[in-house]
Amino acid sequence: DQQVKQNSPSLSVQEGRISILNCDYTNSMFDYFLWYKKYPAEGPTFLISISSIKDKNEDGRFTVFLNKSAKHLSLHIVPSQPGDSAVYFCAALKSGSARQLTFGSGTQLTVLP
Amino acid sequence: DTAVSQTPKYLVTQMGNDKSIKCEQNLGHDTMYWYKQDSKKFLKIMFSYNNKELIINETVPNRFSPKSPDKAHLNLHINSLELGDSAVYFCASSHHDRAEKLFFGSGTQLSVL
């Protein structure tokens, strides 16, 4: 039972356009959400996060939106650049004594020059 | 100077063998993790250690045994390797109170033949 789902395994976008990556979750106990970025032959690296008390968090070209009622979050990248081509993992966390991240399966973003 | 390093990067071995993967972090973190990326690309937590103490032990066969000699090291030993153990294994570390922000190693591609 996957509690964090990324239903699009891949996405292609033209350079300069907006990239929108989507993520759905099922566990209403999650209270913190993150995006990680992974290049080939490297480990994932933290990109941006959002607390469940917010509905938007922005960091430069990256914005994460959270819709708690729909249990949905999205990552917007604008403008997209070729260097953004990577696998993006959505992750969620629930507070508690053993805090651990639950990851989705990732979306491969390809930004075409 | 690599923050989280794991060795080997690639491991090809026969069924039934015993193998180990080593991980070291120089970030001063107190918590270390092992994640497994399976064929469906999900990153799933296997173990978590805080100050050398096991705090998370997900449903993992007991053929997998983590060992943490000190806060900076978390090794993974696998006995009697099976075909289904083939995956990419990632080591990660964090501060205990910042469990959402993980720093990953570059992964170990394990292939069991």
Side-chain angles (χ1 to χ4, degrees):
Chain A
D1 179 31
Q2 302 303 332
Q3 299 183 58
V4 177
K5 300 176 186 177
Q6 295 176 256
N7 292 319
S8 298
S10 63
L11 174 68
S12 291
V13 171
Q14 285 295 134
E15 181 178 5
R17 307 294 288 267
I18 185 170
S19 296
I20 300 176
L21 295 97
N22 294 303
C23 177
D24 298 294
Y25 61 96
T26 58
N27 191 334
S28 57
M29 299 298 291
F30 289 139
D31 55 8
Y32 204 81
F33 303 89
L34 308 94
W35 287 92
Y36 277 75
K37 177 179 180 179
K38 182 185 179 304
Y39 291 117
E42 295 182 12
T45 56
F46 170 79
L47 182 61
I48 192 169
S49 63
I50 187 167
S51 164
S52 60
I53 62 173
K54 295 186 176 181
D55 54 18
K56 176 183 174 181
N57 188 27
E58 190 172 350
D59 183 2
R61 296 185 298 112
F62 302 90
T63 303
V64 56
F65 294 92
L66 175 63
N67 182 335
K68 281 181 294 188
S69 60
K71 294 192 177 68
H72 177 83
L73 66 154
S74 60
L75 174 68
H76 292 212
I77 306 172
V78 55
S80 300
Q81 300 173 354
D84 296 330
S85 297
V87 176
Y88 290 80
F89 288 97
C90 173
L93 182 73
K94 52 185 174 182
S95 302
S97 58
R99 303 171 74 222
Q100 62 184 72
L101 285 178
T102 301
F103 283 88
S105 55
T107 296
Q108 170 71 59
L109 173 66
T110 302
V111 180
L112 304 167
Chain B
D1 198 18
T2 307
V4 181
S5 59
Q6 53 183 110
T7 55
K9 197 166 181 64
Y10 301 97
L11 188 51
V12 181
T13 188
Q14 299 286 332
M15 264 175 49
N17 284 349
D18 304 339
K19 290 294 178 186
S20 292
I21 308 172
K22 295 186 175 182
C23 180
E24 176 182 2
Q25 55 94 5
N26 62 7
L27 296 167
H29 289 158
D30 56 2
T31 306
M32 296 186 72
Y33 311 79
W34 278 109
Y35 276 83
K36 177 181 179 180
Q37 187 176 27
D38 60 22
S39 57
K40 294 183 179 178
K41 305 301 181 186
F42 286 96
L43 274 164
K44 294 182 179 175
I45 191 166
M46 300 174 69
F47 302 103
S48 171
Y49 269 75
N50 176 249
N51 283 320
K52 302 193 302 174
E53 184 180 338
L54 181 66
I55 56 172
I56 293 173
N57 183 358
E58 291 297 304
T59 307
V60 175
N62 57 16
R63 298 181 294 104
F64 290 78
S65 53
K67 291 279 193 308
S68 181
D70 55 58
K71 286 195 308 182
H73 295 84
L74 180 63
N75 303 323
L76 183 65
H77 189 76
I78 315 169
N79 289 327
S80 303
L81 277 155
E82 300 179 357
L83 293 176
D85 297 332
S86 296
V88 183
Y89 293 84
F90 288 96
C91 175
S93 71
S94 74
H95 285 296
H96 181 64
D97 58 356
R98 292 296 310 275
E100 69 277 9
K101 191 166 182 180
L102 300 180
F103 291 76
F104 282 89
S106 57
T108 296
Q109 172 77 62
L110 171 64
S111 299
V112 182
L113 307 176

